[in-house]
Amino acid sequence: MTLRSLDDFYGYEPARYLPDITPTPLLMIVGREDGLTGGNLAASAYQTAAEPKKIVFLPGGHFAAYTGAGFTVASQAARDWFLSHL
């Protein structure tokens, strides 16, 4: 990893791009105990987005949406969102 890569990584803040993409429909699926990206940061970013928007919180961490009960909740939320907005 280069110093520039590290700088780019720490400088990455997706929430700052929300004004550029809204009012595009936004669905956020967030793990409540996400220690990798911070669920509280996602919730704060969500507040700044324009409608239509929806946030779904899953129990567990960053990867909770990929397996088990978290996958069931996340995939159903995504399916419903896509049916409404695509």
Side-chain angles (χ1 to χ4, degrees):
M1 177 176 273
T2 66
L3 287 175
R4 182 171 182 176
S5 303
L6 191 59
D7 186 49
D8 289 344
F9 174 75
Y10 285 113
Y12 178 64
E13 177 50 53
R16 74 175 176 214
Y17 299 105
L18 283 174
D20 297 333
I21 63 168
T22 56
T24 302
L26 173 67
L27 171 64
M28 296 178 71
I29 301 173
V30 180
R32 287 194 184 277
E33 293 84 35
D34 187 342
L36 187 60
T37 60
N40 59 340
L41 294 175
S44 295
Y46 175 80
Q47 296 302 323
T48 68
E51 296 287 344
K53 63 182 180 178
K54 181 177 181 178
I55 191 166
V56 175
F57 287 101
L58 303 175
H62 186 77
F63 300 102
Y66 303 123
T67 61
F71 176 77
T72 301
V73 172
S75 62
Q76 288 174 353
R79 180 203 59 215
D80 294 346
W81 187 257
F82 293 148
L83 287 173
S84 296
H85 296 284
L86 288 182

Coordinates of all heavy atoms in Angstrom, one line a residue:
M1 N 0.8 -1.2 0.0 CA 0.0 0.0 0.0 C 0.9 1.2 0.0 O 1.8 1.3 0.8 CB -0.9 0.0 1.2 CG -1.8 1.2 1.3 SD -2.9 1.1 2.7 CE -4.3 0.3 1.9
T2 N 0.6 2.2 -0.8 CA 1.3 3.4 -0.9 C 0.8 4.5 0.0 O -0.4 4.3 0.5 CB 1.3 4.0 -2.3 OG1 -0.1 4.4 -2.6 CG2 1.8 3.0 -3.4
L3 N 1.5 5.5 0.3 CA 1.0 6.6 1.1 C -0.2 7.3 0.5 O -1.1 7.7 1.2 CB 2.1 7.6 1.4 CG 3.2 7.2 2.4 CD1 4.3 8.2 2.4 CD2 2.6 6.9 3.7
R4 N -0.1 7.4 -0.8 CA -1.3 8.0 -1.5 C -2.5 7.1 -1.4 O -3.6 7.7 -1.2 CB -1.0 8.2 -3.0 CG -2.1 8.9 -3.7 CD -1.8 9.3 -5.1 NE -2.9 9.9 -5.7 CZ -3.0 10.5 -6.8 NH1 -1.9 10.5 -7.6 NH2 -4.1 11.1 -7.3
S5 N -2.4 5.8 -1.5 CA -3.5 4.9 -1.3 C -4.1 5.1 0.1 O -5.3 5.2 0.3 CB -3.1 3.5 -1.4 OG -2.6 3.2 -2.7
L6 N -3.2 5.2 1.1 CA -3.7 5.4 2.5 C -4.4 6.7 2.6 O -5.5 6.8 3.3 CB -2.5 5.3 3.4 CG -2.8 5.2 4.9 CD1 -3.7 4.0 5.2 CD2 -1.5 5.1 5.7
D7 N -3.9 7.7 2.0 CA -4.5 9.1 2.1 C -5.9 9.1 1.4 O -6.8 9.6 1.9 CB -3.6 10.1 1.4 CG -4.1 11.5 1.6 OD1 -4.5 11.9 2.7 OD2 -4.2 12.2 0.6
D8 N -5.9 8.4 0.2 CA -7.2 8.3 -0.5 C -8.2 7.5 0.4 O -9.4 7.9 0.4 CB -7.0 7.6 -1.8 CG -6.3 8.5 -2.8 OD1 -6.2 9.8 -2.6 OD2 -5.8 8.0 -3.8
F9 N -7.8 6.5 1.0 CA -8.7 5.6 1.8 C -9.3 6.4 3.0 O -10.5 6.5 3.2 CB -7.9 4.4 2.4 CG -8.7 3.6 3.3 CD1 -9.7 2.8 2.9 CD2 -8.5 3.7 4.7 CE1 -10.5 2.0 3.8 CE2 -9.2 2.9 5.6 CZ -10.2 2.1 5.1
Y10 N -8.4 7.1 3.7 CA -8.9 7.9 4.8 C -9.7 9.2 4.4 O -10.5 9.7 5.2 CB -7.8 8.3 5.8 CG -7.3 7.1 6.6 CD1 -6.1 6.6 6.4 CD2 -8.2 6.5 7.5 CE1 -5.7 5.5 7.2 CE2 -7.8 5.4 8.3 CZ -6.5 4.9 8.1 OH -6.1 3.8 8.8
G11 N -9.4 9.6 3.2 CA -10.2 10.8 2.7 C -11.5 10.5 2.1 O -12.3 11.4 1.7
Y12 N -11.8 9.2 1.9 CA -13.0 8.8 1.3 C -14.2 9.0 2.2 O -14.3 8.5 3.3 CB -12.9 7.3 0.9 CG -14.2 6.8 0.2 CD1 -14.6 7.2 -1.0 CD2 -15.0 5.8 0.9 CE1 -15.8 6.8 -1.6 CE2 -16.1 5.3 0.3 CZ -16.5 5.8 -0.9 OH -17.7 5.3 -1.5
E13 N -15.1 9.8 1.8 CA -16.3 10.1 2.6 C -17.5 10.2 1.6 O -17.8 11.2 1.0 CB -16.1 11.5 3.3 CG -17.3 11.9 4.1 CD -17.9 10.9 5.0 OE1 -17.1 10.3 5.8 OE2 -19.1 10.6 4.9
P14 N -18.2 9.0 1.4 CA -19.3 9.0 0.5 C -20.4 9.9 0.8 O -21.1 10.3 -0.2 CB -19.7 7.5 0.5 CG -19.1 6.9 1.7 CD -17.9 7.8 2.1
A15 N -20.6 10.3 2.0 CA -21.7 11.1 2.4 C -21.6 12.5 1.7 O -22.7 13.1 1.4 CB -21.8 11.3 3.9
R16 N -20.5 12.9 1.4 CA -20.3 14.3 0.8 C -20.8 14.3 -0.7 O -21.1 15.4 -1.2 CB -18.9 14.7 0.8 CG -17.9 14.1 -0.1 CD -16.6 14.7 -0.1 NE -15.7 14.0 -0.9 CZ -14.4 13.8 -0.7 NH1 -13.9 14.3 0.4 NH2 -13.6 13.1 -1.5
Y17 N -21.1 13.1 -1.3 CA -21.6 13.0 -2.6 C -23.1 13.0 -2.7 O -23.7 13.0 -3.7 CB -21.0 11.8 -3.4 CG -19.5 11.9 -3.5 CD1 -18.7 11.1 -2.7 CD2 -18.9 12.8 -4.3 CE1 -17.3 11.2 -2.8 CE2 -17.5 12.9 -4.4 CZ -16.7 12.0 -3.6 OH -15.4 12.1 -3.7
L18 N -23.8 12.9 -1.5 CA -25.2 12.7 -1.5 C -25.9 13.9 -2.2 O -26.9 13.7 -3.0 CB -25.8 12.6 -0.1 CG -25.6 11.2 0.5 CD1 -26.0 11.1 1.9 CD2 -26.4 10.1 -0.3
P19 N -25.5 15.1 -2.0 CA -26.2 16.2 -2.7 C -26.1 16.1 -4.2 O -26.9 16.6 -4.9 CB -25.5 17.5 -2.2 CG -24.9 17.1 -0.9 CD -24.5 15.7 -1.0
D20 N -25.0 15.5 -4.7 CA -24.8 15.3 -6.2 C -25.8 14.3 -6.8 O -26.0 14.3 -8.0 CB -23.4 15.0 -6.5 CG -22.4 16.0 -6.0 OD1 -22.8 17.2 -6.0 OD2 -21.3 15.7 -5.8
I21 N -26.2 13.3 -6.0 CA -27.0 12.2 -6.5 C -28.5 12.3 -6.2 O -29.3 11.6 -6.8 CB -26.5 10.8 -6.1 CG1 -26.6 10.6 -4.6 CG2 -25.1 10.6 -6.6 CD1 -26.3 9.2 -4.2
T22 N -28.8 13.1 -5.2 CA -30.2 13.2 -4.9 C -30.9 14.2 -5.8 O -30.3 15.1 -6.3 CB -30.4 13.7 -3.4 OG1 -29.7 14.9 -3.2 CG2 -29.9 12.7 -2.4
P23 N -32.2 13.9 -6.2 CA -33.2 13.1 -5.5 C -33.3 11.7 -6.1 O -34.3 11.1 -6.2 CB -34.5 13.8 -5.7 CG -34.3 14.5 -7.1 CD -32.8 14.8 -7.2
T24 N -32.2 11.1 -6.5 CA -32.2 9.7 -6.9 C -32.6 8.8 -5.7 O -32.2 9.0 -4.6 CB -30.8 9.2 -7.4 OG1 -30.3 10.1 -8.4 CG2 -30.7 7.8 -7.8
P25 N -33.5 7.9 -6.0 CA -34.0 7.0 -4.9 C -32.8 6.3 -4.2 O -31.9 5.8 -4.8 CB -34.8 6.0 -5.5 CG -35.4 6.6 -6.7 CD -34.2 7.5 -7.2
L26 N -32.8 6.4 -2.8 CA -31.6 5.9 -2.0 C -32.1 4.9 -1.0 O -33.0 5.2 -0.2 CB -31.0 7.1 -1.3 CG -29.9 6.7 -0.3 CD1 -28.7 6.1 -1.0 CD2 -29.5 7.9 0.5
L27 N -31.6 3.7 -1.1 CA -31.8 2.7 -0.1 C -30.5 2.4 0.6 O -29.5 2.1 0.0 CB -32.4 1.4 -0.7 CG -32.5 0.2 0.3 CD1 -33.5 0.4 1.4 CD2 -32.8 -1.1 -0.5
M28 N -30.5 2.5 1.9 CA -29.3 2.2 2.7 C -29.6 1.0 3.6 O -30.7 1.0 4.3 CB -28.9 3.4 3.5 CG -28.4 4.6 2.7 SD -27.9 6.0 3.7 CE -26.4 5.4 4.4
I29 N -28.8 0.0 3.6 CA -29.0 -1.2 4.4 C -27.7 -1.2 5.3 O -26.6 -1.4 4.8 CB -29.1 -2.5 3.6 CG1 -30.4 -2.4 2.7 CG2 -29.2 -3.7 4.5 CD1 -30.5 -3.5 1.7
V30 N -27.9 -1.1 6.6 CA -26.8 -0.8 7.5 C -26.9 -1.8 8.7 O -27.9 -2.0 9.3 CB -27.0 0.6 8.1 CG1 -25.9 1.0 9.1 CG2 -27.0 1.6 7.0
G31 N -25.7 -2.4 9.0 CA -25.6 -3.2 10.2 C -25.5 -2.3 11.4 O -24.7 -1.4 11.5
R32 N -26.3 -2.6 12.4 CA -26.3 -1.7 13.7 C -25.0 -1.7 14.4 O -24.6 -0.7 15.0 CB -27.4 -2.2 14.6 CG -28.8 -1.9 14.2 CD -29.8 -2.1 15.3 NE -31.1 -1.8 14.9 CZ -31.7 -0.6 14.8 NH1 -31.0 0.4 15.1 NH2 -32.9 -0.5 14.3
E33 N -24.3 -2.8 14.3 CA -23.0 -2.9 15.0 C -21.8 -2.9 14.1 O -20.8 -3.5 14.3 CB -22.9 -4.2 15.9 CG -23.9 -4.3 17.0 CD -25.3 -4.8 16.6 OE1 -25.4 -5.6 15.7 OE2 -26.3 -4.3 17.2
D34 N -22.0 -2.1 13.0 CA -21.0 -2.1 11.9 C -19.8 -1.3 12.5 O -19.8 -0.1 12.6 CB -21.5 -1.4 10.7 CG -20.6 -1.4 9.5 OD1 -19.4 -1.6 9.7 OD2 -21.0 -1.2 8.4
G35 N -18.7 -2.0 12.8 CA -17.5 -1.4 13.2 C -16.5 -1.0 12.1 O -15.5 -0.4 12.3
L36 N -16.8 -1.5 10.9 CA -16.0 -1.2 9.8 C -16.2 0.1 9.2 O -15.3 0.9 8.9 CB -16.2 -2.3 8.7 CG -15.2 -2.3 7.5 CD1 -13.8 -2.5 7.9 CD2 -15.6 -3.5 6.6
T37 N -17.5 0.4 8.9 CA -17.8 1.7 8.3 C -18.6 2.6 9.3 O -18.8 3.8 9.0 CB -18.6 1.6 7.0 OG1 -19.8 0.9 7.3 CG2 -17.9 0.8 6.0
G38 N -19.1 2.1 10.3 CA -19.8 2.9 11.3 C -21.2 3.1 11.0 O -21.6 3.9 10.2
G39 N -22.1 2.3 11.6 CA -23.5 2.5 11.4 C -24.0 3.9 11.7 O -24.9 4.4 11.1
N40 N -23.5 4.5 12.7 CA -23.9 5.8 13.1 C -23.5 6.9 12.0 O -24.3 7.8 11.8 CB -23.3 6.3 14.5 CG -21.8 6.2 14.5 OD1 -21.2 5.6 13.7 ND2 -21.2 6.9 15.4
L41 N -22.4 6.6 11.3 CA -22.1 7.5 10.2 C -23.1 7.4 9.1 O -23.4 8.4 8.4 CB -20.7 7.2 9.7 CG -19.5 7.5 10.7 CD1 -18.2 7.1 10.1 CD2 -19.5 9.0 11.0
A42 N -23.5 6.2 8.8 CA -24.5 6.0 7.7 C -25.8 6.6 8.1 O -26.4 7.2 7.3 CB -24.7 4.5 7.5
A43 N -26.2 6.5 9.4 CA -27.5 7.1 9.8 C -27.4 8.6 9.7 O -28.4 9.3 9.3 CB -27.8 6.7 11.2
S44 N -26.2 9.2 10.0 CA -26.1 10.7 9.9 C -26.1 11.1 8.4 O -26.7 12.1 8.0 CB -24.7 11.1 10.5 OG -24.7 10.9 11.8
A45 N -25.5 10.3 7.5 CA -25.5 10.6 6.1 C -26.9 10.5 5.6 O -27.3 11.3 4.7 CB -24.6 9.7 5.4
Y46 N -27.7 9.5 6.0 CA -29.0 9.3 5.6 C -29.9 10.6 5.8 O -30.7 10.9 5.0 CB -29.6 8.1 6.3 CG -31.1 7.9 6.0 CD1 -31.5 7.3 4.8 CD2 -32.1 8.3 6.9 CE1 -32.8 7.1 4.6 CE2 -33.4 8.1 6.6 CZ -33.8 7.5 5.5 OH -35.1 7.3 5.2
Q47 N -29.7 11.2 6.9 CA -30.4 12.4 7.3 C -30.2 13.5 6.3 O -31.1 14.4 6.1 CB -30.0 12.9 8.7 CG -30.4 11.9 9.8 CD -31.9 11.6 9.8 OE1 -32.7 12.4 9.6 NE2 -32.2 10.3 10.1
T48 N -29.1 13.6 5.6 CA -28.8 14.6 4.7 C -29.3 14.4 3.3 O -29.3 15.2 2.4 CB -27.3 14.9 4.6 OG1 -26.6 13.8 3.9 CG2 -26.7 15.2 5.9
A49 N -29.7 13.1 3.0 CA -30.2 12.8 1.7 C -31.7 13.2 1.4 O -32.4 13.4 2.4 CB -30.2 11.2 1.5
A50 N -32.0 13.5 0.2 CA -33.3 13.9 -0.2 C -34.2 12.7 -0.4 O -33.7 11.6 -0.6 CB -33.3 14.8 -1.4
E51 N -35.5 12.9 -0.4 CA -36.4 11.8 -0.7 C -36.4 11.6 -2.2 O -36.0 12.4 -3.0 CB -37.8 12.3 -0.3 CG -38.0 12.5 1.2 CD -38.0 11.2 2.0 OE1 -38.2 10.1 1.4 OE2 -37.8 11.3 3.2
P52 N -36.8 10.4 -2.6 CA -37.2 9.2 -1.8 C -36.0 8.5 -1.2 O -35.0 8.3 -1.9 CB -37.9 8.3 -2.8 CG -37.3 8.6 -4.1 CD -36.9 10.1 -4.1
K53 N -36.1 8.1 0.0 CA -35.1 7.4 0.7 C -35.6 6.5 1.8 O -36.8 6.7 2.2 CB -34.1 8.4 1.4 CG -34.8 9.2 2.5 CD -33.8 10.2 3.1 CE -34.5 11.1 4.2 NZ -33.5 12.0 4.8
K54 N -34.8 5.5 2.1 CA -35.2 4.5 3.1 C -34.0 3.9 3.7 O -33.0 3.7 3.0 CB -36.1 3.4 2.5 CG -36.5 2.4 3.6 CD -37.4 1.3 2.9 CE -37.9 0.3 4.0 NZ -38.8 -0.7 3.5
I55 N -34.0 3.7 5.0 CA -32.9 3.0 5.7 C -33.4 1.8 6.4 O -34.5 1.8 7.0 CB -32.1 4.0 6.6 CG1 -30.8 3.4 7.1 CG2 -33.0 4.4 7.8 CD1 -29.9 4.4 7.7
V56 N -32.6 0.7 6.3 CA -33.0 -0.5 6.9 C -31.8 -0.9 7.8 O -30.7 -1.0 7.3 CB -33.2 -1.6 5.9 CG1 -33.5 -3.0 6.6 CG2 -34.4 -1.3 5.0
F57 N -32.0 -1.1 9.1 CA -31.0 -1.5 10.0 C -31.1 -3.0 10.3 O -32.2 -3.6 10.5 CB -31.1 -0.8 11.4 CG -30.7 0.7 11.3 CD1 -31.7 1.6 11.2 CD2 -29.4 1.0 11.3 CE1 -31.3 3.0 11.1 CE2 -29.0 2.3 11.2 CZ -30.0 3.3 11.1
L58 N -29.9 -3.7 10.2 CA -29.9 -5.1 10.4 C -29.1 -5.3 11.7 O -28.2 -4.6 12.1 CB -29.0 -5.8 9.3 CG -29.5 -5.7 7.9 CD1 -28.5 -6.3 7.0 CD2 -30.9 -6.3 7.7
P59 N -29.5 -6.4 12.5 CA -28.7 -6.7 13.6 C -27.3 -7.3 13.1 O -27.3 -7.9 12.1 CB -29.5 -7.8 14.4 CG -30.4 -8.3 13.3 CD -30.6 -7.3 12.3
G60 N -26.2 -6.9 13.8 CA -24.9 -7.4 13.4 C -24.1 -6.4 12.7 O -24.4 -5.2 12.8
G61 N -23.0 -6.8 12.2 CA -21.9 -5.9 11.7 C -22.0 -5.7 10.2 O -23.1 -5.9 9.6
H62 N -20.9 -5.3 9.6 CA -20.8 -4.8 8.3 C -21.3 -5.9 7.3 O -21.9 -5.6 6.3 CB -19.4 -4.4 7.9 CG -19.2 -3.8 6.6 ND1 -19.6 -2.5 6.3 CD2 -18.7 -4.3 5.5 CE1 -19.4 -2.2 5.1 NE2 -18.8 -3.3 4.5
F63 N -21.0 -7.1 7.5 CA -21.3 -8.2 6.6 C -22.6 -9.0 6.9 O -22.9 -10.0 6.3 CB -20.1 -9.2 6.5 CG -18.8 -8.5 6.1 CD1 -17.9 -8.1 7.0 CD2 -18.7 -8.1 4.7 CE1 -16.7 -7.5 6.6 CE2 -17.5 -7.5 4.3 CZ -16.5 -7.1 5.2
A64 N -23.4 -8.5 7.8 CA -24.6 -9.1 8.3 C -25.6 -9.3 7.1 O -26.4 -10.3 7.2 CB -25.3 -8.4 9.4
A65 N -25.5 -8.5 6.1 CA -26.5 -8.6 5.0 C -26.2 -9.7 4.1 O -27.1 -10.0 3.2 CB -26.5 -7.3 4.2
Y66 N -25.1 -10.4 4.2 CA -24.7 -11.4 3.3 C -25.1 -12.9 3.6 O -25.0 -13.8 2.8 CB -23.2 -11.3 3.0 CG -22.8 -10.0 2.5 CD1 -21.9 -9.2 3.1 CD2 -23.5 -9.4 1.4 CE1 -21.5 -8.0 2.7 CE2 -23.1 -8.1 0.9 CZ -22.1 -7.4 1.6 OH -21.8 -6.2 1.1
T67 N -25.5 -13.1 4.9 CA -25.8 -14.4 5.3 C -26.9 -14.5 6.3 O -27.3 -13.5 6.9 CB -24.6 -15.1 6.0 OG1 -24.2 -14.3 7.2 CG2 -23.3 -15.2 5.1
G68 N -27.5 -15.6 6.4 CA -28.5 -15.9 7.5 C -29.7 -14.9 7.4 O -30.2 -14.5 6.4
A69 N -30.2 -14.6 8.6 CA -31.4 -13.7 8.8 C -31.1 -12.4 8.2 O -32.0 -11.7 7.6 CB -31.8 -13.6 10.2
G70 N -29.9 -11.9 8.3 CA -29.6 -10.5 7.8 C -29.8 -10.5 6.3 O -30.3 -9.5 5.7
F71 N -29.4 -11.6 5.6 CA -29.5 -11.7 4.1 C -31.0 -11.7 3.8 O -31.4 -11.0 2.8 CB -28.9 -12.9 3.6 CG -29.1 -13.1 2.1 CD1 -28.4 -12.3 1.2 CD2 -30.0 -14.0 1.6 CE1 -28.6 -12.5 -0.2 CE2 -30.3 -14.1 0.3 CZ -29.6 -13.4 -0.6
T72 N -31.8 -12.4 4.5 CA -33.2 -12.4 4.2 C -33.9 -11.0 4.3 O -34.6 -10.6 3.4 CB -34.0 -13.4 5.2 OG1 -33.4 -14.7 5.1 CG2 -35.5 -13.4 5.0
V73 N -33.5 -10.3 5.4 CA -34.1 -8.9 5.5 C -33.5 -8.0 4.5 O -34.3 -7.3 3.8 CB -33.7 -8.4 7.0 CG1 -34.1 -6.9 7.1 CG2 -34.4 -9.2 8.0
A74 N -32.2 -8.1 4.2 CA -31.6 -7.2 3.3 C -32.1 -7.4 1.8 O -32.4 -6.5 1.1 CB -30.1 -7.3 3.3
S75 N -32.2 -8.7 1.5 CA -32.6 -9.0 0.1 C -34.1 -8.7 -0.1 O -34.4 -8.2 -1.2 CB -32.3 -10.5 -0.2 OG -33.0 -11.3 0.6
Q76 N -34.9 -8.9 0.9 CA -36.3 -8.5 0.7 C -36.5 -7.0 0.6 O -37.3 -6.5 -0.2 CB -37.2 -9.0 1.9 CG -37.3 -10.5 1.8 CD -38.0 -11.1 3.0 OE1 -38.3 -10.5 4.0 NE2 -38.3 -12.4 2.9
A77 N -35.7 -6.2 1.4 CA -35.8 -4.8 1.4 C -35.3 -4.3 0.0 O -35.9 -3.4 -0.6 CB -34.9 -4.2 2.5
A78 N -34.2 -4.9 -0.5 CA -33.7 -4.5 -1.8 C -34.7 -4.8 -2.9 O -35.0 -4.0 -3.8 CB -32.4 -5.1 -2.1
R79 N -35.3 -6.0 -2.9 CA -36.3 -6.4 -3.9 C -37.5 -5.4 -3.9 O -37.9 -4.9 -4.9 CB -36.8 -7.8 -3.6 CG -37.8 -8.3 -4.6 CD -38.7 -9.4 -4.1 NE -39.4 -8.9 -2.9 CZ -39.7 -9.7 -1.9 NH1 -39.4 -10.9 -1.9 NH2 -40.3 -9.2 -0.8
D80 N -38.0 -5.1 -2.7 CA -39.1 -4.2 -2.6 C -38.8 -2.8 -3.1 O -39.6 -2.2 -3.8 CB -39.6 -4.1 -1.2 CG -40.2 -5.5 -0.7 OD1 -40.5 -6.4 -1.5 OD2 -40.4 -5.6 0.6
W81 N -37.6 -2.4 -2.8 CA -37.1 -1.0 -3.2 C -37.0 -1.0 -4.7 O -37.5 0.0 -5.4 CB -35.8 -0.7 -2.6 CG -35.4 0.7 -2.8 CD1 -34.4 1.1 -3.7 CD2 -35.9 1.9 -2.2 NE1 -34.3 2.5 -3.6 CE2 -35.2 3.0 -2.7 CE3 -36.9 2.2 -1.3 CZ2 -35.4 4.3 -2.4 CZ3 -37.1 3.5 -0.9 CH2 -36.3 4.5 -1.4
F82 N -36.4 -2.0 -5.3 CA -36.2 -2.1 -6.8 C -37.6 -2.1 -7.5 O -37.8 -1.5 -8.5 CB -35.4 -3.2 -7.2 CG -33.9 -3.1 -6.7 CD1 -33.2 -4.2 -6.4 CD2 -33.3 -1.9 -6.6 CE1 -31.9 -4.1 -6.0 CE2 -32.0 -1.8 -6.2 CZ -31.3 -2.9 -5.9
L83 N -38.5 -2.9 -6.9 CA -39.8 -3.0 -7.6 C -40.5 -1.6 -7.5 O -41.3 -1.3 -8.5 CB -40.7 -4.0 -6.8 CG -40.4 -5.5 -7.1 CD1 -41.2 -6.4 -6.2 CD2 -40.6 -5.8 -8.5
S84 N -40.3 -0.8 -6.5 CA -40.9 0.5 -6.4 C -40.2 1.6 -7.3 O -40.9 2.5 -7.7 CB -40.9 1.0 -5.0 OG -41.7 0.1 -4.2
H85 N -38.9 1.4 -7.4 CA -38.2 2.6 -8.0 C -37.5 2.3 -9.3 O -36.9 3.2 -9.9 CB -37.2 3.1 -7.0 CG -37.8 3.6 -5.8 ND1 -38.4 4.9 -5.8 CD2 -38.0 3.1 -4.6 CE1 -39.0 5.1 -4.6 NE2 -38.7 4.0 -3.8
L86 N -37.5 1.0 -9.8 CA -36.9 0.8 -11.1 C -38.0 0.7 -12.2 O -39.1 0.4 -12.1 CB -36.1 -0.5 -11.1 CG -34.8 -0.5 -10.3 CD1 -34.1 -1.9 -10.4 CD2 -33.9 0.6 -10.8

